[in-house]
Amino acid sequence: MEPSDVVNEFSRQVESAKSRGLNDVSIESLESYMLALRGRIEMHTPLTAANIEFQRQANEHAFQDQQAMFRSVIDSGQAALKASILVGGGAAAALLAFASSAWKALNPTGLELLGLTIFLLACGVVLAVIAAGVTYLAQGLYYDGMGKPDNCNDDRAGNILRYTSLILVASSYGVYGWACWNIYRIMGSFSVASYIPVG
């Protein structure tokens, strides 16, 4: 039983006695009431302790759930950033290796597309790297906003940087898509000469 419950119960009993017309309370009746109230408190004490322990465990479980979800979000964001950097860097390296042996067979349009495609892949990598830096800044702002009221300046700036990072990563994948389309067009730009004369 909470202390406020004890006071409320005592006040209720006083009001009840007052409504019955009693103006004086004997010491004996007050002692017997206190004894009954003490018994009631002792009866509710284990239940109160159990409720407090249950609430503590529920709060701890909710906190651990939030922490696990937060870690999951961070891990998936880092995986998307790493994947973007690896895809763009690997594609640019593979295209350069391909171009070193095949550039002589490309017509001028194909050579122009090849240069543009390598530039696009490099831009995609740069966008992903900038997104990683922006994500780091956003997390720093969120950390600075801990303990402050919700939606403080740090939280708002962190949200802006978080969305900026998302846009940068999505843009890097869009640039990679454009580069893939250009690679498809490059494949049709080869000048194939016949080695066996016909005729």
Side-chain angles (χ1 to χ4, degrees):
M1 189 176 238
E2 296 295 323
S4 60
D5 294 337
V6 174
V7 172
N8 290 339
E9 180 65 22
F10 193 75
S11 297
R12 193 177 64 76
Q13 290 296 329
V14 168
E15 289 297 322
S16 173
K18 201 178 193 183
S19 67
R20 287 182 296 187
L22 295 174
N23 291 330
D24 298 324
V25 178
S26 69
I27 296 292
E28 289 175 5
S29 63
L30 189 58
E31 284 178 339
S32 66
Y33 177 71
M34 290 295 195
L35 186 63
L37 191 58
R38 182 177 292 128
R40 190 167 170 200
I41 290 170
E42 288 173 359
M43 183 179 72
H44 286 283
T45 299
L47 182 60
T48 302
N51 283 340
I52 290 171
E53 178 63 21
F54 176 78
Q55 190 61 43
R56 187 190 67 75
Q57 288 180 0
N59 289 343
E60 185 176 330
H61 180 69
F63 176 75
Q64 288 174 353
D65 263 1
Q66 289 173 347
Q67 289 295 98
M69 183 62 74
F70 186 65
R71 273 189 232 105
S72 171
V73 167
I74 288 175
D75 290 344
S76 61
Q78 287 177 343
L81 286 170
K82 289 176 185 175
S84 179
I85 292 169
L86 287 173
V87 164
L95 192 58
L96 283 171
F98 171 76
S100 68
S101 62
W103 70 273
K104 290 179 184 175
L106 286 172
N107 61 28
T109 305
L111 284 172
E112 187 178 319
L113 279 173
L114 179 65
L116 176 64
T117 303
I118 291 172
F119 176 74
L120 288 174
L121 291 171
C123 286
V125 171
V126 169
L127 286 172
V129 169
I130 292 171
V134 170
T135 302
Y136 177 77
L137 291 175
Q139 290 304 319
L141 286 168
Y142 286 139
Y143 180 78
D144 290 343
M146 282 174 44
K148 294 181 182 176
D150 285 343
N151 206 19
C152 65
N153 288 336
D154 292 328
D155 287 346
R156 284 195 294 274
N159 284 337
I160 290 169
L161 289 178
R162 180 175 56 133
Y163 289 122
T164 302
S165 175
L166 290 172
I167 290 168
L168 288 170
V169 172
S171 298
S172 75
Y173 282 114
V175 167
Y176 295 152
W178 185 8
C180 288
W181 173 249
N182 283 345
I183 290 170
Y184 171 76
R185 291 174 57 203
I186 288 171
M187 292 302 148
S189 299
F190 283 102
S191 300
V192 179
S194 175
Y195 288 105
I196 302 174
V198 178

